[in-house]
Amino acid sequence: VQRVVMPVSGTLSWTVVDGLGLPLAPVDSFLAHLMAQERSPETGPAYAYSLKLFFEFLEDVGVAWEKAGPE
């Protein structure tokens, strides 16, 4: 999980990066959506850490995020 300062607005945001240090696009999109809704400042890091754990779990069990379901 990385803290990001948006270059134009200076707003603080969050992202989750992969093993190569690249942002995970689906997580980035979701977190940007949350920030656009002006959620509490604590919402961003809470969701970022939860999504990090979820994506690590998916990697451990060998399931692509697009294929993940309730089961």
Side-chain angles (χ1 to χ4, degrees), residues 25-47:
V27 175
D28 237 16
S29 295
F30 179 72
L31 293 174
H33 169 74
L34 284 180
M35 294 302 106
Q37 293 184 2
E38 298 181 6
R39 300 289 180 158
S40 162
E42 299 305 315
T43 301
Y47 272 100

Side-chain angles (χ1 to χ4, degrees), residues 32-68:
H33 169 74
L34 284 180
M35 294 302 106
Q37 293 184 2
E38 298 181 6
R39 300 289 180 158
S40 162
E42 299 305 315
T43 301
Y47 272 100
Y49 281 102
S50 294
L51 288 166
K52 172 191 174 290
L53 293 173
F54 179 65
F55 273 74
E56 285 176 347
F57 168 76
L58 291 176
E59 185 176 338
D60 288 347
V61 297
V63 175
W65 75 269
E66 302 95 335
K67 304 283 187 201

Side-chain angles (χ1 to χ4, degrees), residues 1-48:
V1 174
Q2 301 274 325
R3 187 170 39 179
V4 178
V5 177
M6 304 309 288
V8 175
S9 66
T11 305
L12 182 64
S13 187
W14 299 86
T15 191
V16 177
V17 297
D18 64 14
L20 300 174
L22 301 172
L24 295 175
V27 175
D28 237 16
S29 295
F30 179 72
L31 293 174
H33 169 74
L34 284 180
M35 294 302 106
Q37 293 184 2
E38 298 181 6
R39 300 289 180 158
S40 162
E42 299 305 315
T43 301
Y47 272 100

